Structures are given as C-alpha cells and as structure tokens.
C-alpha cells in the first residue's frame, strides 16, 4: 500500500476570504471546516483572514464560537487538534453587512483595507454563499465601496439562476463588476477526487481511449443518489427541484467529463472549451420528447436506513400540493461524431436507499462467441467509476471459472479501491476548490458559456413538463424512484446497474 499525504502541502499566498452568507448552512457545514483542514495541512499562510459577513448583528467572538461549533460538528474527530483549531479561529473575523443597503459596507472596507498585521497585499476573495438573487446587488456594492479591485476574485455558489434568462442576468450584472477571469462559479462535484480521476483514467491510460466511442460503448449510466430529504432547505428546494438542483449542473458536468474530447492540455480554457462542446452537442429534449425521455418523481413517506421519514409534502417549508420533483431520470444523447446513438441514462433523487454516485460505462457485447452453449452467459464488459462513497474503479470481465469442469465462464471484477490503494483521508471537494481560487486556477470552475449552455439544454425540459401539467410520479422514500424510471431504461432492453459481481483477487 502506498501512503498518500494530504498533510503538508505547499503554502499559498496569504488571502482574505470574505464569506457572504457567513452564518449560513454552507459556510458552517462546508466552507469553514474546509478552510480549517487546509490550515491544518499547512496551506494557509500567516496573515490570512476569513471574514464572515451576514445581516446578523454578531460580535467577532460570537462568530468564532459558531465556527468552533461547526468544526466540532463537521470535522472528523481525528482531524481536530485543539491548538490548530485555536490558531484557525484567530484568523476569523466578522462584520454585519446588509447586502441590499449601505449598512455595514464602510466597516467591511475598513477591515479589508487595514489588515492588523501583514506587510504585503493578500489575495482578496469574495465568496457569495448567498441566494443567487444577491449576486448582483453584492457585486454592485463591492464596486460602489471600492472593494472590487482588479486583482480580487469572486466565487459564486450554484445555482446560477433558475433558467437561461436569470442566469444571463446574473452573469451580466456580476460581469459588469468583475472580468470573467475573476469569476469562479463553483460546481463542487468538479472538486471531488474521483471526478478529477476521470481525466486521469481517460487520458492517462492508453487502454480506454481507443474504445471510448459509439463503436464500442453501448450506453452510459450516471446515478447520483442521496438518502437525505430536503432537510431545512424546503424554501429553496421547492423553487428548484432535482433537475435544476442536481442535473443542470452536477450531472451535466459528469456527462462533460465522460463525453469530452481530449483537451490540448490541462490549462483551464482548454478543459472548459472541450466541456462546452459537449454541452452544445446535447440533443434538445423538447415538449414532444419529455414524456418519453424523462421521468419526474416525488417521495412519499417511507423508511430510509431503517428510520421512518416523512413525505416531501410534509417536509417543513413545502407548500401543500407542491408539484416539485425530488427525483429525475432521463435519457440524453450527445449529437456528435464520437457519441451518436449512444444513450446516456441519468438519474438523481432524494430519499433513495443509499447515498451513492457512480458512472457506468457499458461496453458492447463481443461480436462472435467461440464458447459452447452451456458455458455460461457472456456479459459485456462494464466499467464502473464510483464517485462516492468508497471511491473505486471496477472493471467487469468474463473469466473462466476455476476447476477441471471444462470451459465455464463467469463474470468477475477488477476492483481498484482508492482507500485501500492510497490510504489516508480524501480531502473534501471544497478544500480543493477553495484553494484553487487562492491559486488563481479556474480549471475546475464553470465558465459563463458553460452555465448558459447547460440552461439552454435544461430549460426546454422544464418548459415541456410545465406544458403537460402533470404531477411528478410518487415513489416511496427508501426505494429507487418511481417505477417509470425503471421502465425508461428497460424499454430500451437495458437495466440500471446493480452490482455485485465478486472482485477478482489481484
Ligand atoms: C448540492 C445540492 O449542490 O449538492 C444538494 O444543492 C445536494 O441538494 C448536494 O444534497 C449533494 O452533494 P454531495 O457532495 O453530498 O453529493
């Protein structure tokens, strides 16, 4: 076993991370823990600051107490070190600011322009962990108060809008203050280790790329399943639904990484140019096709992991009779030379039986069998990239069953488990992405044209659904979605991947 270090990492320049929405769920659950862990790994230079900003009238000491609690709750115990947590909390500050008025902005400017100790300038980053409706107003204020300098960077959390027009409006308004190079649109799936591993798998091996096309691949499946419901986010989620919340961004980004051509290099624009071509090649699913190519579902009360859970309509903040989908399955096609005729089946939902994300590449069957009848069913090869949990790459192969009983074939899997092979802790996606902003590397962030191309594809589906006035199909919490999603793939003579072939020892 090789040991993998997530510990000492090269120090980066000092930074001032100003987090709008600093008391919100994302900041407390993800951003502060991620920054602490990077600090622990030695990547946060002395003099760096994290300034929480929100409307709540908190003192900096109250904010530090909140952050301490968040670290206790969201950082694994073996990563919490009293002295290092104390050092991290020292870097935290807090300023109450109202994004929609002038209140608090002078104080924020004062704080940013006069760091207590530091000789040279820090990288100035504004992280907008707020509702997208505030991206424009906050940007305007950053300009009005002279905070948006040519060197500063702004990070936008998803969702960027709720359709093409609102995304364009946000992009225009933020773009009037910051150049495209200064804007980092986060899709945290791109920061996940195994997602980046797709690039290594495809372009760091000679084995797969010659087969990576319609001649050899029958279809692709992408599943992103969650056990959680809408938690405390009912207000946001009900306005969004699974297509906007997961498919338009995370799943489409996965489609891009599976489907794109080899970029000229890993330089940010090269990778993003190739992803954009995939998005622009997606075959449109319009009102006439939504009935046949998509399934929307909504969970009813059921049981997940042995515990009873309420239905979507009984979750806090969900209006009676809501028609928002918590599950979506669909079939898409990439209309280009490499992929013509290869369906990509996507599904994502809440309150499914397991938290699990994986990509399945189903190869075509062999063209001619030399094996006698009775040798066992020949299954076509299948490559499974498990993104989470238990990150792994599995390759299903046909093998001869050991023993003297003649030629009997049996499927078996080569299994590359990342935990077993590399050991150690896998950094959370946000750890990687937050530091990429400090480095000024936007390869793993979405460019404006990508976001808009993704909306251009997603919007006709939403419009198609609205024009049909159909409620989402019900499914019991703890099951794999409505039966129609199984029919969606079985109609084509295929089935959703359901492991488990035993791993071959190797
Ligand atoms: C977010 C969605 O972008 O991704 C959430 O808004 C979802 O609804 C989350 O739960 C899933 O992320 P992960 O990393 O837990 O798979």
């Amino acid at each position: 076993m090789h040991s993998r270090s997530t510990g000492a990492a090269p120090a980066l320049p000092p930074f001032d991370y100003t987090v709008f929405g600093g008391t919100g769920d994302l900041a407390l659950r993800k951003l502060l823990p991620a920054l602490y862990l990077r600090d622990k790994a030695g990547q946060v230079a002395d003099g760096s600051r994290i300034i929480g900003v929100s409307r709540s009238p908190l003192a900096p000491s109250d904010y530090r107490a909140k952050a301490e609690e968040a670290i206790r709750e969201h950082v694994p115990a073996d990563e919490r070190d009293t002295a290092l947590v104390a050092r991290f909390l020292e870097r935290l500050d807090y300023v109450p600011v109202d994004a929609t008025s002038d209140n608090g902005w002078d104080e924020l400017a004062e704080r940013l322009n006069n760091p207590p100790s530091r000789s040279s300038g820090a990288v100035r980053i504004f992280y907008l962990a707020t509702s997208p409706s505030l991206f424009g107003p906050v940007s305007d204020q950053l300009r009005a108060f002279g905070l948006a300098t040519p060197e500063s960077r702004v990070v936008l959390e998803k969702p960027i809008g709720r359709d093409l027009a609102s995304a364009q409006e946000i992009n225009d308004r933020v773009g009037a203050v910051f150049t495209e190079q200064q804007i980092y649109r986060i899709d945290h799936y791109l920061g996940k280790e195994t997602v980046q591993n797709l690039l290594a798998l495809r372009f760091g091996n000679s084995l797969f790329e010659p087969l990576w096309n319609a001649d050899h691949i029958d279809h692709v499946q992408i599943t992103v399943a969650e056990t959680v419901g809408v938690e405390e986010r009912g207000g946001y989620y009900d306005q969004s639904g699974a297509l906007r919340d997961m498919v338009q961004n995370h799943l489409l980004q996965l489609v891009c990484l599976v489907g794109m051509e080899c970029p000229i290099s890993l330089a940010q624009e090269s990778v993003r140019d190739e992803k954009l071509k995939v998005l622009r090649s997606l075959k449109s699913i319009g009102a006439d096709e939504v009935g046949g190519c998509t399934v929307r579902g909504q969970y009813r009360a059921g049981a997940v992991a042995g515990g009873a859970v309420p239905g979507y309509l009984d979750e806090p903040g969900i209006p009676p009779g809501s028609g928002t989908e918590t599950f979506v399955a669909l079939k898409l096609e990439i209309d280009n030379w490499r992929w013509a005729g290869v369906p990509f089946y996507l599904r994502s939902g809440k309150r499914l039986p397991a938290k699990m994300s994986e990509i399945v590449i189903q190869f075509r069957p062999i063209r001619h069998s030399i094996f006698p009848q009775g040798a066992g069913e020949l299954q076509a090869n299948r490559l499974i990239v498990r993104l989470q949990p238990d990150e792994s790459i599995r390759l299903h192969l046909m093998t001869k069953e050991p023993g003297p009983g003649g030629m009997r074939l049996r499927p078996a899997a080569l299994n590359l488990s990342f935990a077993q092979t590399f050991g150690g802790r896998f950094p959370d996606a946000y750890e990687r992405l937050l530091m990429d902003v400090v480095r000024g590397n936007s390869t793993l962030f979405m460019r404006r044209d990508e976001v808009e191309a993704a909306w251009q594809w997603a919007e006709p589906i939403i419009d198609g659904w609205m024009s049909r006035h159909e409620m989402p199909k019900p499914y019991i919490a703890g099951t794999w979605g409505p039966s129609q999603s199984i029919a969606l793939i079985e109609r084509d003579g295929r089935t959703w991947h359901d492991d488990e072939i035993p791993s071959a020892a190797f």
Side-chain angles (χ1 to χ4, degrees):
M1 184 194 284
H2 307 279
S3 71
R4 182 171 53 85
S5 163
T6 54
L12 295 168
F15 56 74
D16 284 334
Y17 245 110
T18 303
V19 182
F20 289 83
T23 55
D25 185 61
L26 179 74
L28 298 176
R29 211 162 39 84
K30 291 285 185 187
L31 306 183
L32 295 177
L35 287 165
Y36 160 72
L37 285 164
R38 286 297 92 203
D39 192 4
K40 179 169 181 287
Q43 265 191 328
V44 175
D46 278 342
S48 296
R49 291 182 298 170
I50 295 132
I51 305 175
V53 165
S54 85
R55 272 195 306 202
S56 312
L58 294 179
S61 57
D62 299 331
Y63 191 61
R64 289 193 189 106
K66 258 184 188 302
E68 192 173 5
E69 197 186 314
I71 289 170
R72 206 174 318 120
E73 211 174 315
H74 301 295
V75 172
D78 57 353
E79 297 287 340
R80 293 194 305 258
D81 176 295
T82 315
L84 296 180
V85 172
R87 182 183 72 182
F88 176 72
L89 296 176
E90 280 298 302
R91 306 193 195 282
L92 258 56
D93 200 349
Y94 181 81
V95 187
V97 174
D98 182 354
T100 56
S101 77
D102 286 350
N103 292 343
W105 288 92
D106 282 327
E107 289 80 350
L108 179 61
E110 163 68 23
R111 220 65 74 86
L112 276 176
N113 294 332
N114 301 299
S117 67
R118 188 195 295 142
S119 46
S120 63
V123 181
R124 182 177 283 187
I125 304 167
F126 303 104
Y127 196 119
L128 310 195
T130 63
S131 147
S133 60
L134 292 178
F135 294 171
V138 170
S139 302
D140 291 348
Q141 291 294 67
L142 288 172
R143 178 173 51 193
F145 285 83
L147 294 173
T149 59
E151 295 76 35
S152 57
R153 295 165 198 168
V154 65
V155 186
L156 306 182
E157 251 305 322
K158 65 160 269 280
I160 311 288
R162 49 176 289 102
D163 51 22
L164 180 59
S166 55
Q168 283 170 331
E169 197 183 316
I170 290 170
N171 284 331
D172 283 347
R173 205 154 156 200
V174 177
V177 179
F178 296 96
T179 63
E180 183 61 26
Q181 285 66 37
Q182 293 175 279
I183 303 174
Y184 292 72
R185 297 178 191 81
I186 281 228
D187 183 313
H188 77 278
Y189 267 59
L190 292 178
K192 289 185 191 279
E193 275 294 325
T194 331
V195 175
Q196 295 168 58
N197 235 313
L198 280 170
L199 294 177
L201 182 78
R202 288 193 56 197
F203 305 123
N205 295 289
S206 56
L207 203 58
F208 299 111
E209 211 37 39
L211 305 179
W212 211 259
N213 56 51
D215 291 340
H216 299 283
I217 292 178
D218 176 75
H219 74 276
V220 176
Q221 300 180 14
I222 300 180
T223 296
V224 176
E226 296 187 89
T227 50
V228 292
V230 293
E231 314 294 287
E232 304 307 313
R233 302 161 71 225
Y236 150 75
Y237 194 86
D238 197 63
Q239 294 298 311
S240 176
L243 189 89
R244 288 188 173 97
D245 187 50
M246 297 295 288
V247 178
Q248 185 269 349
N249 33 73
H250 304 323
L251 277 87
L252 280 192
Q253 287 293 321
L254 298 180
V255 169
C256 287
L257 293 178
V258 173
M260 72 184 192
E261 297 302 315
C262 184
I264 298 169
S265 72
L266 281 183
Q268 52 208 38
E269 299 313 337
S270 304
V271 174
R272 301 197 298 183
D273 284 349
E274 295 306 334
K275 287 198 292 162
L276 180 65
K277 287 185 206 162
V278 174
L279 293 167
R280 292 209 169 135
S281 312
L282 295 179
K283 195 163 169 180
S284 174
I285 301 177
D288 294 343
E289 290 96 15
V290 283
C293 292
T294 72
V295 175
R296 312 167 72 213
Q298 190 187 75
Y299 61 84
R300 298 284 179 264
V304 176
V309 295
Y312 178 71
L313 296 175
D314 297 320
E315 299 275 18
I318 305 302
S322 164
T324 298
E325 82 283 354
T326 60
F327 174 98
V328 63
L330 57 85
K331 174 165 115 173
L332 66 74
E333 280 181 50
I334 304 174
D335 243 352
N336 66 13
W337 186 268
R338 185 188 282 261
W339 293 112
V342 178
F344 281 58
Y345 299 95
L346 274 48
R347 62 177 172 169
S348 179
K350 298 211 179 274
R351 292 285 191 227
L352 300 185
K355 177 161 177 71
M356 184 274 283
S357 304
E358 68 186 13
I359 299 172
V360 176
I361 312 292
Q362 174 68 58
F363 291 93
R364 292 192 185 281
I366 52 163
R367 69 178 67 156
H368 167 71
S369 171
I370 57 166
F371 300 101
Q373 286 232 325
E377 188 202 347
L378 279 171
Q379 294 184 12
N381 298 128
R382 186 172 267 200
L383 179 71
I384 300 132
V385 182
R386 171 68 70 95
L387 308 177
Q388 61 186 21
D390 310 327
E391 291 84 345
S392 66
I393 297 178
R394 287 165 71 84
L395 181 61
H396 288 191
L397 304 167
M398 291 309 296
T399 54
K400 177 189 171 298
E401 201 174 276
M407 183 58 90
R408 279 203 55 78
L409 297 178
R410 204 172 69 181
L414 292 180
N415 190 10
L416 172 65
S417 148
F418 286 85
Q420 279 174 18
T421 308
F422 298 107
R425 182 183 73 86
F426 286 93
D428 182 75
Y430 278 97
E431 288 180 56
R432 163 78 198 249
L433 297 174
L434 284 163
M435 292 299 115
D436 274 358
V437 183
V438 178
R439 284 185 196 98
N441 181 351
S442 56
T443 308
L444 298 177
F445 295 80
M446 291 183 295
R447 209 166 54 190
R448 171 178 185 151
D449 47 12
E450 280 183 77
V451 173
E452 294 181 4
W455 278 123
Q456 214 146 10
W457 173 83
E459 202 174 286
I461 300 179
I462 300 170
D463 292 347
W465 285 342
M466 294 305 109
S467 69
R468 291 166 68 95
H469 304 291
E470 281 174 13
M471 291 301 277
K473 309 279 184 259
Y475 63 98
I476 306 292
T479 65
W480 283 104
S483 57
Q484 289 81 354
S485 67
I486 297 170
L488 175 83
I489 188 165
E490 292 194 345
R491 263 203 309 274
D492 295 345
R494 302 177 173 115
T495 50
W496 289 109
H497 170 70
D498 178 15
D499 234 341
E500 280 302 325
I501 287 180
S503 299
F506 74 111

